Amino acid sequence: MLHTAAKLPSSVAAHLGIVMVAASISTFAAPGATAQTGAGGNNRVTAGKGQQPVTDKVIISHTPKFKSKAYSVLSRVLGKKEFETLGHTQSEVWSVPQSRFARLVQRLRVFGCKIIRLRADSNHILRRHQGPVAMSAAQEGMLRRARASREFVGVNMMKAPEPEVAEYALTSGANKPVPAGSSPPQDSVSRIVLPINDTQQVTILRLKVSATEKGSTWRGSVEETGESAVLMWWKDGHLSGVFGYKGHIYTIVNMGGEVHAVVETDPKMMPPDHSPEKADNARPPADRAAAQPEATAKPRPLPRVKPLADAERQALEAKKITIDLMLLYTQKAASRYIRDPGDLLELAVEQANETFRNSGLGNISLQLVHKQLIDYDETGGDQFTHLYRMVDGLGAFKDVRKLRNEKRADIVGLILEDPSGCGLSTRVGADAEEAYFVVHHSCAAITISIAHEIGHIIGARHDRIIDANDAPFPYGHGHVNGTKWRDIMSYQKGCDGCPRIPFWSNPRIMYRGEPTGTDAADNARVILEQAERVSNFR
């Protein structure tokens, strides 16, 4: 949002909290000026002969007591100049002529202002930590457990910038209006840089950023490979996120304060999608054979599927559907994180919502209505046992149904430590009283397993290479594209370990120029048709 300093009433300025200031270079740059750019974008403009002076982007924070006086100084030194507001840190973005910078700093510091001069690399939202990192016993324990997992490749310690700089890098220019059919102006195209180890870094292009009560959710794609990225920036300045790069998955975990860990994992070494000999219908053994026949070496003929009429599809897409989700987690799962595991859960839910948007299902979303630690020890059981103890309300789960009703949660999930599989749900197309699932903690975000298990509950099945059952919907299967990639509901086994993409099978949606489904593999249609049913469970 753009403002003019001279027009800001002192009554408004007086009640605002911390403010930061940094201005668009275009405010001062005359035609013919040369922009000096680095990885962080246009943070400096150099004047040519007879042109306006060199300017720097600057961030300034005010104390509420002297805010109106500080604005008076800004108006006198800079005149009527526009600035961009950054919502969460209540920051403003200005350009300051270098010739006036020292004078401005001197005068503003009298009023307790904090001034940050943005560098060319201000879009590096994490930086390599220099020297050894002093760690608590809890931090050491978390890293030790991470290194012991099969999928672990490496970990690097990073340092986050000041919250104001991070918000600027992630959100600046995101809300500038763009005329229909036009490309975004250059200064609103955000590229952030993330180091992934001691020598490599990746550049990620911003696709969309949205503000929440807790901070900002940032979605993008890796510039070099096109792999997806989801980051969450919290108001206190810490980050969480997950992104792919050349087939590996990188998870950003806050270790406390400004210190973050970037953990690299190999998805091919993750647990299987489901526990051995457990179908996507976690029913008693007597029922399981009827529920899911084994896929045979000789493929069955594909069923004839009547396409969904355009009018019916449009009517379904016009409905805004929200499925309310409650997530419980065990102490063993929580011990994998320094902070409350809520960061991971929020990130996993946002990932699931991103898969809906990717697949033409933007009218459907998950909402995390409650998350809570549960006093349950998963030692000695398997995922089937854990799941049905929760469904039946046994032991530590005796009050879960009551809590579910209080929170009006349509679906309930349990995050635990059980690497025998990534997850398990009660059945495909579950009814209201069976809308439960379990997920191994490391799979929650890395393999999008929360979305996978919720897909089963809604009515989606695996790919036909693994699952030949056409009930309840003949088109309700995942899609495997040779050995290139597989969708959310498909197994590694179906494509010799190819990567999972954050898409639901859908013949109308393309990924890298190829359809993500067929008429007989269209789980997006299943979700479009069945999401409202699930959203009415509570």
Side-chain angles (χ1 to χ4, degrees):
M1 182 180 296
L2 293 178
H3 304 275
T4 302
K7 294 181 180 179
L8 186 67
S10 60
S11 60
V12 174
H15 78 271
L16 292 175
I18 295 178
V19 175
M20 297 187 59
V21 185
S24 167
I25 291 174
S26 60
T27 304
F28 291 92
T34 302
Q36 293 184 354
T37 63
N42 300 340
N43 290 334
R44 177 175 295 179
V45 173
T46 304
K49 185 176 180 180
Q51 296 175 350
Q52 295 190 33
V54 176
T55 61
D56 283 338
K57 284 188 176 181
V58 178
I59 299 180
I60 305 170
S61 302
H62 303 281
T63 56
K65 182 178 179 181
F66 298 111
K67 188 172 177 64
S68 59
K69 293 182 179 180
Y71 269 113
S72 178
V73 170
L74 285 166
S75 296
R76 288 198 301 272
V77 175
L78 300 179
K80 295 182 179 181
K81 300 299 182 183
E82 290 183 334
F83 58 86
E84 177 187 1
T85 297
L86 304 177
H88 288 303
T89 53
Q90 281 299 293
S91 310
E92 298 165 355
V93 185
W94 296 68
S95 263
V96 177
Q98 287 187 353
S99 60
R100 301 180 187 179
F101 180 76
R103 176 188 172 198
L104 186 66
V105 169
Q106 184 179 20
R107 299 192 67 176
L108 289 179
R109 281 182 176 164
V110 172
F111 303 116
C113 295
K114 170 186 174 184
I115 299 97
I116 302 173
R117 198 173 199 167
L118 290 172
R119 306 186 311 185
D121 61 354
S122 60
N123 66 340
H124 291 226
I125 61 169
L126 288 177
R127 299 177 187 277
R128 296 178 180 90
H129 202 287
Q130 302 300 317
V133 180
M135 291 192 187
S136 66
Q139 290 171 326
E140 290 282 5
M142 193 208 84
L143 290 181
R144 183 172 60 253
R145 287 186 290 271
R147 290 187 177 101
S149 62
R150 291 180 67 247
E151 64 270 16
F152 177 84
V153 175
V155 61
N156 284 270
M157 307 309 295
M158 306 294 173
K159 183 178 179 181
E162 294 167 285
E164 302 88 347
V165 177
E167 186 181 15
Y168 167 78
L170 291 167
T171 68
S172 179
N175 297 319
K176 287 188 178 181
V178 179
S182 301
S183 298
Q186 185 63 34
D187 61 356
S188 72
V189 177
S190 174
R191 286 170 167 80
I192 62 169
V193 177
L194 284 168
I196 57 175
N197 53 43
D198 290 340
T199 59
Q200 287 181 292
Q201 60 190 28
V202 296
T203 299
I204 306 178
L205 309 179
R206 181 176 68 204
L207 299 179
K208 188 174 182 180
V209 61
S210 54
T212 69
E213 292 182 359
K214 299 176 181 178
S216 294
T217 299
W218 193 98
R219 297 186 290 277
S221 63
V222 176
E223 186 172 45
E224 182 181 351
T225 64
E227 290 162 284
S228 66
V230 177
L231 305 177
M232 300 189 78
W233 176 80
W234 307 81
K235 286 183 179 180
D236 65 2
H238 81 272
L239 286 162
S240 55
V242 60
F243 61 95
Y245 181 64
K246 294 187 176 180
H248 281 199
I249 303 297
Y250 296 82
T251 307
I252 301 171
V253 181
N254 180 247
M255 299 289 287
E258 64 185 9
V259 179
H260 291 69
V262 176
V263 182
E264 179 183 359
T265 57
D266 181 356
K268 291 184 178 181
M269 301 302 292
M270 293 292 291
D273 292 282
H274 293 298
S275 298
E277 299 182 0
K278 290 291 190 296
D280 49 13
N281 280 3
R283 301 166 73 177
D287 296 336
R288 190 172 296 126
Q292 176 160 320
E294 293 183 4
T296 60
K298 185 177 180 180
R300 295 181 178 183
L302 294 179
R304 292 185 178 182
V305 176
K306 182 181 178 181
L308 186 64
D310 288 344
E312 188 176 357
R313 181 181 305 282
Q314 290 166 7
L316 290 170
E317 290 173 344
K319 295 181 179 181
K320 184 76 172 178
I321 306 296
T322 301
I323 297 173
D324 292 328
L325 177 64
M326 181 171 83
L327 291 175
L328 309 174
Y329 54 91
T330 68
Q331 185 58 53
K332 282 190 175 181
S335 70
R336 294 284 183 161
Y337 306 95
I338 297 301
R339 298 175 56 89
D340 186 301
D343 282 12
L344 167 74
L345 305 184
E346 297 266 8
L347 179 64
V349 171
E350 179 53 35
Q351 271 190 300
N353 286 332
E354 181 70 359
T355 68
F356 293 144
R357 289 185 287 264
N358 289 345
S359 302
L361 301 168
N363 62 308
I364 299 167
S365 64
L366 302 177
Q367 177 176 256
L368 183 57
V369 294
H370 186 65
K371 53 185 183 288
Q372 180 176 313
L373 175 70
I374 189 165
D375 186 18
Y376 176 69
D377 184 359
E378 59 266 52
T379 304
D382 60 18
Q383 290 189 357
F384 180 86
T385 301
H386 306 318
L387 175 61
Y388 272 92
R389 283 175 180 166
M390 178 168 57
V391 173
D392 296 335
L394 301 178
F397 300 107
K398 63 183 178 63
D399 294 324
V400 166
R401 284 184 180 270
K402 179 182 177 182
L403 182 62
R404 179 190 180 190
N405 291 336
E406 289 175 357
K407 303 301 179 181
R408 300 182 63 84
D410 301 307
I411 298 176
V412 180
L414 173 66
I415 311 301
L416 42 61
E417 181 171 347
D418 184 348
S420 64
C422 270
L424 194 66
S425 57
T426 52
R427 69 177 69 230
V428 173
D431 60 27
E433 300 314 306
E434 291 186 315
Y436 293 83
F437 68 88
V438 298
V439 163
H440 176 54
H441 65 85
S442 68
C443 300
I446 293 174
T447 61
I448 328 178
S449 289
I450 286 179
H452 179 104
E453 299 307 332
I454 289 174
H456 282 317
I457 289 171
I458 294 173
R461 302 196 77 96
H462 296 143
D463 60 277
R464 280 195 170 83
I465 300 170
I466 300 300
D467 177 5
N469 195 329
D470 281 333
F473 308 104
Y475 44 86
H477 282 273
H479 179 65
V480 176
N481 184 14
T483 58
K484 294 180 182 178
W485 46 260
R486 59 192 170 105
D487 77 338
I488 288 172
M489 298 306 297
S490 300
Y491 269 39
Q492 288 191 38
K493 182 179 178 181
C495 62
D496 195 26
C498 67
R500 172 177 279 172
I501 62 171
F503 288 73
W504 303 89
S505 57
N506 187 338
R508 296 163 300 282
I509 297 293
M510 308 294 282
Y511 178 73
R512 296 185 178 179
E514 298 181 278
T516 56
T518 67
D519 287 342
D522 191 356
N523 272 326
R525 175 179 174 179
V526 173
I527 295 169
L528 186 64
E529 294 173 331
Q530 297 297 312
E532 185 174 18
R533 174 185 70 87
V534 176
S535 73
N536 290 324
F537 281 173
R538 286 295 186 273

